[in-house]
Amino acid sequence: MKLGNNLKLIRKSKKKSQEEVASDLGLTRSSYSGYENEIAEPGIETLIALSQYYAVPIDDLLTKDFSTFTESDWTTISSGLYADINGNNLRVLTSLVDADDNEMIELIPQQARAGYTTGYADPDYLKVLPTFSLPFLSKNRKYRSFPIMGDSMPPVDEGSFVVAEYIQNWGSVRNGTPCIVVTKDDGIVFKIVNNFIETQQSFELCSTNPLYLPYYVNVNEIVEMWKFVNYISPSLPEMRIDDSTLTKSIQDLQREIIDLKRTVTGGAKNVVH
C-alpha cells in the first residue's frame, strides 16, 4: 500500500509538520506518524478525514504513487484543484448499448436519483434503468436523462426529465451553459453554470428562478457534468413573452412608428396650396 509515503509527500508539499497535521485532524502525533511510517493503518473515518484535509480522493491516496508526480501535479494539489478537469484519467463513463451496439439514453427514475452518485459507474446499477433513443441526437456523443425536482429552473418544472450530453472536459464549459451537475453532497442539480476554474477552482451554479441565490461548488466536489440538450415534461409550460421577444416587439413597433411618420411627412410635403 502506498498510503504512508503518499501522506508524507503531500504533507511536505504543503510545508506542514506531523504535529501540525495531527493537531488539525484531532489525532496524536504518534498516531499520524504511524500512518506515514506504515506501522498502523487508519480506519475508514480517518481515511475520509485525510482525504478531505488534503483535498485528494481516497482512491488516489491508497493506489497512486505520489513519488511519480510532476511539478505541475504538485502545483495543482497545492492550489486545491486536484480534480481531473480535462477528463484524461478519472472519468471513464459506463453506458448501455442496444443489440446493434448503439449507445442508449439511460433514464434515471426519481426513485433511483438518490443512488446515482454512488452507482453512476456501476454496470449493475445502470443495467436496471429504463433506456430509450432519440434519432435526431448525434451518435457520436453520450446522453443521459435526469429527473428534475423543485422549482428553481423554470420553465423546466418538477417532474420533467432533462436530456443532457456528457461533458468530458469541464474546462470547456462556457459561462451561461445550462447543465446537470452531479456533486458528492447534493447529488443531481440542474443549474446555469458559470466557469470560475482558473480563478476560484469552482463553478457558480445559478437558478432561473430569482428566489434562489447562486452558489459555488469546488471542482473537487463534482462527479459528473452534463450539458442540457432538451427536456421532456408532462405539463405544458405557461406562455410568456421573454425578454428577447419583448425587446424585438418593441423594436418592430418603433420601426412601424418611424415608417408612419415618414409617410405622413412625405404626404404633407406633396400638398399643393
Side-chain angles (χ1 to χ4, degrees):
M1 187 168 64
K2 302 178 177 66
L3 177 63
N5 192 51
N6 286 346
L7 290 176
K8 186 181 298 182
L9 290 172
I10 196 170
R11 172 179 59 79
K12 289 182 176 180
S13 78
K14 292 183 177 293
K15 297 180 172 56
K16 287 183 173 287
S17 66
Q18 288 185 343
E19 187 171 351
E20 286 177 308
V21 175
S23 176
D24 290 343
L25 294 174
L27 303 170
T28 63
R29 182 183 180 281
S30 59
S31 294
Y32 183 80
S33 176
Y35 302 148
E36 284 195 359
N37 296 319
E38 299 185 356
I39 297 173
E41 294 185 3
I44 185 61
E45 291 185 0
T46 304
L47 275 174
I48 292 172
L50 289 166
S51 171
Q52 294 175 340
Y53 182 76
Y54 288 124
V56 174
I58 293 176
D59 286 353
D60 290 2
L61 282 174
L62 294 174
T63 62
K64 287 193 174 181
D65 184 355
F66 287 13
S67 65
T68 64
F69 279 15
T70 64
E71 183 177 345
S72 176
D73 293 329
W74 287 115
T75 300
T76 300
I77 288 177
S78 297
S79 69
L81 183 62
Y82 186 72
D84 181 19
I85 300 302
N86 296 324
N88 296 324
N89 303 312
L90 299 183
R91 292 190 292 282
V92 179
L93 186 67
T94 302
S95 61
L96 301 178
V97 296
D98 62 17
D100 297 321
D101 207 32
N102 296 313
E103 287 198 6
M104 302 296 291
I105 301 173
E106 299 92 1
L107 186 147
I108 315 300
Q110 288 286 358
Q111 61 268 28
R113 177 190 174 104
Y116 186 80
T117 52
T118 55
Y120 66 95
D122 184 356
D124 290 333
Y125 170 87
L126 293 176
K127 70 182 181 182
V128 299
L129 299 177
T131 59
F132 64 100
S133 62
L134 295 174
F136 51 82
L137 296 180
S138 172
K139 292 184 178 181
N140 299 321
R141 299 178 183 180
K142 174 60 190 172
Y143 303 94
R144 192 161 285 168
S145 182
F146 297 88
I148 300 303
M149 295 181 63
D151 60 350
S152 67
M153 286 293 287
V156 181
D157 297 324
E158 183 169 19
S160 301
F161 284 84
V162 163
V163 177
E165 174 191 328
Y166 185 65
I167 302 175
Q168 183 77 8
N169 181 356
W170 299 347
S172 67
V173 177
R174 296 182 179 181
N175 290 342
T177 303
C179 291
I180 292 289
V181 183
V182 183
T183 65
K184 297 175 184 177
D185 293 332
D186 296 333
I188 301 168
V189 296
F190 179 40
K191 299 292 179 183
I192 303 296
V193 172
N194 293 316
N195 190 333
F196 288 91
I197 287 179
E198 292 188 2
T199 57
Q200 301 182 37
Q201 297 84 51
S202 301
F203 286 100
E204 182 187 36
L205 305 188
C206 305
S207 302
T208 54
N209 185 338
L211 296 177
Y212 292 86
L213 295 176
Y215 62 96
Y216 289 86
V217 173
N218 188 278
V219 292
N220 291 308
E221 295 301 313
I222 296 174
V223 175
E224 289 180 346
M225 293 188 71
W226 300 75
K227 184 171 67 174
F228 172 86
V229 175
N230 56 41
Y231 73 99
I232 304 166
S233 176
S235 59
L236 185 66
E238 291 183 8
M239 295 297 294
R240 68 183 184 89
I241 300 178
D242 58 29
D243 292 341
S244 61
T245 303
L246 183 59
T247 300
K248 186 177 184 304
S249 298
I250 293 173
Q251 290 172 341
D252 290 342
L253 183 59
Q254 288 172 334
R255 292 190 189 98
E256 290 177 8
I257 293 173
I258 291 172
D259 290 341
L260 182 60
K261 284 183 177 179
R262 286 174 179 170
T263 301
V264 172
T265 303
K269 290 181 179 178
N270 293 326
V271 173
V272 178
H273 296 283

